[in-house]
Amino acid sequence: MKITDHIKNAQGKTLFSFEIVPPVKGKGIQELYNNIDPLMEFKPPFIDVTTSREEYVYIERDGLLDKKLTRMRPGTVGICASIQHKYKVDTVPHLLCGGFTKEETEYVLVDCHYLGIDNIMALRGDARKEEKYFNPTQGGHSYAKDLVKQIKDLNCGNYLHDTIDAANSADFCIGVAGYPEKHLEAPSLQTDLKRLKEKVDAGADYVVTQMFFDNQRFFEFVAAARDMGIDIPIIPGIKPIAVQRHMQLLPQVFRIDLPEDLIQAVDACKNNAAVRQVGIEWAIQQSKELKAAGVPVLHYYSMGKSDNIHAIAKALF
C-alpha cells in the first residue's frame, strides 16, 4: 500500500514508522530482524531501508595497496522484500542519484515493481567520503527532482528507451527529503524550499524531514512550505541522541542546531548510558508535542538499534 494511503486510512491518527540501515557486507540479516522484532508491537505501516553509495577501499595485494570502489552496505531491495515477506509490512527502499546511472535506476525500479514494493524514497545522496562536494555519477542524475521525474515517467509506462503501453504498469508512491534547517549546501532556507517545491512539482507524494531537535523549526518549516504551495504530507524525522559524540557529530555532518537545554542535559551526563536516557526523554517530549499538533507520522531514525526507539514508542503508541 502507498504511504499516502496509509496516512489517509489513519483518519488523522499519527502513525509510527522507522528507518533501518542494511548490515555491512558479509554480515547476516538476523541481527536486523532482532532489532525490528520489538518494534512490531507498535504496528508500523512501513519501514524505510537506506541505501549507501559506493566508496573507495584499499586492498593489499602483493605488498601494494589497490584502490577499489565498492558498496559496504548493499542489499537494500533484497532486505525490503525480505521484511515485507516476514512481517507483512510495507517497505520503502531509498534510491539515490549518487552512484547509480539512469539505467541502473530503472533496473532497481523494475525489481521493486516485481517484488510488490509500492513506495520509493528518492534522494540525491551525499558526496563520497573523499569528495568535498557532490559529483553526479556519469550517466546518472544530478538532482533528486530528476530522479523523481524518472520514477513518475516509469509510472506512466515511459521507460528510458521505450514507451510501453501495459495494464500492469508501476504506480510508485514517491517520498522526498525536506530540511527544516535547510540543506547544508543551500544558500538559504527559502532557496531550499524552492528546491523542495521543484521535487513536488516533478511528482513527489510526501516529504520526510531531516532530523531536528527543536520542534519550532519544524512548525515554521511546514508553515513556509504550505505558503509556497507544497500541500503533500510532511512527516517529521526524529533521531534520539544516543552518545556524547553526537553533540559534535550531528551539527558537523547535518548542519543542525541543538537546543541549549539538550546540550546542558547531555553535558551533565557521566556516561553514554545516561546520554542515551536523555536522548530518549527528549525525543519523547518532542514526539508528544508533534503528535498533539497532528503530524501524520512520527518517523524515527533507528540506525539499526531498537532499544531506545522502543522506549520512545512505548510512551506514545
Side-chain angles (χ1 to χ4, degrees):
M1 186 187 294
K2 293 182 178 183
I3 303 305
T4 48
D5 288 335
H6 281 298
I7 292 171
K8 182 180 178 181
N9 292 345
Q11 297 183 330
K13 177 184 176 183
T14 299
L15 302 172
F16 164 76
S17 70
F18 59 95
E19 183 173 299
I20 59 174
V21 297
V24 175
K25 185 166 56 178
K27 297 285 187 180
I29 199 171
Q30 187 57 48
E31 185 178 352
L32 200 58
Y33 291 153
N34 293 343
N35 281 291
I36 292 173
D37 286 344
L39 299 179
M40 297 311 294
E41 171 187 347
F42 309 108
K43 297 179 172 57
F46 63 93
I47 299 170
D48 275 46
V49 183
T50 67
T51 296
S52 62
R53 67 171 304 172
E54 80 286 12
E55 58 186 272
Y56 280 109
V57 296
Y58 291 89
I59 302 171
E60 185 175 353
R61 290 178 180 169
D62 301 324
L64 299 174
L65 289 177
D66 195 10
K67 186 178 181 182
K68 295 289 185 182
L69 267 180
T70 187
R71 295 188 194 278
M72 298 305 293
R73 294 180 182 270
T76 294
V77 173
I79 290 170
C80 284
S82 180
I83 289 172
Q84 290 199 168
H85 175 74
K86 181 177 176 63
Y87 296 103
K88 304 299 185 284
V89 62
D90 283 309
T91 53
V92 186
H94 289 198
L95 193 55
L96 306 179
C97 296
F100 295 86
T101 66
K102 296 172 188 175
E103 283 77 12
E104 288 169 335
T105 296
E106 183 169 281
Y107 302 152
V108 171
L109 292 170
V110 169
D111 284 345
C112 287
H113 178 46
Y114 289 156
L115 290 166
I117 294 170
D118 297 324
N119 304 281
I120 301 288
M121 175 60 67
L123 305 165
R124 189 200 70 175
D126 299 324
R128 285 207 302 257
K129 290 180 180 179
E130 71 279 0
E131 296 177 341
K132 188 173 182 179
Y133 301 107
F134 176 85
N135 288 311
T137 297
Q138 186 173 1
H141 294 298
S142 299
Y143 302 104
K145 66 176 182 180
D146 301 318
L147 176 55
V148 171
K149 184 179 184 302
Q150 181 178 358
I151 301 168
K152 200 71 176 180
D153 284 348
L154 190 140
N155 282 351
C156 298
N158 298 322
Y159 291 74
L160 289 174
H161 308 299
D162 304 280
T163 298
I164 301 172
D165 185 13
N168 188 31
S169 61
D171 188 20
F172 293 113
C173 179
I174 307 168
V176 293
Y179 301 86
E181 298 177 65
K182 86 173 183 63
H183 189 276
L184 60 90
E185 295 175 16
S188 70
L189 182 57
Q190 189 68 12
T191 300
D192 200 37
L193 281 165
K194 289 178 182 177
R195 301 290 88 81
L196 178 58
K197 182 64 162 59
E198 290 173 357
K199 290 187 282 189
V200 173
D201 291 343
D205 297 296
Y206 69 99
V207 177
V208 179
T209 75
Q210 181 178 259
M211 70 184 74
F212 57 92
F213 294 88
D214 181 350
N215 284 350
Q216 190 58 35
R217 296 290 187 96
F218 174 77
F219 295 138
E220 291 171 357
F221 169 77
V222 172
R226 300 302 185 221
D227 287 345
M228 190 163 283
I230 297 170
D231 59 359
I232 60 177
I234 299 177
I235 297 171
I238 307 295
K239 178 177 175 59
I241 293 286
V243 293
Q244 178 75 43
R245 187 165 175 261
H246 280 164
M247 305 305 287
Q248 291 75 42
L249 185 65
L250 298 180
Q252 179 184 16
V253 173
F254 299 102
R255 303 297 194 270
I256 56 175
D257 289 333
L258 299 177
E260 193 61 33
D261 288 351
L262 177 59
I263 295 170
Q264 291 178 6
V266 172
D267 284 346
C269 293
K270 294 182 179 180
N271 53 45
N272 278 334
V275 172
R276 198 170 186 83
Q277 187 58 37
V278 166
I280 289 169
E281 292 170 2
W282 187 274
I284 288 172
Q285 294 309 311
Q286 256 197 289
S287 300
K288 284 182 176 178
E289 185 179 22
L290 292 164
K291 191 176 181 183
V295 297
V297 184
L298 286 167
H299 184 72
Y300 295 94
Y301 297 116
S302 75
M303 303 306 291
K305 301 297 182 182
S306 64
D307 59 316
N308 54 352
I309 306 300
H310 186 274
I312 296 162
K314 192 77 173 175
L316 288 141
F317 296 96

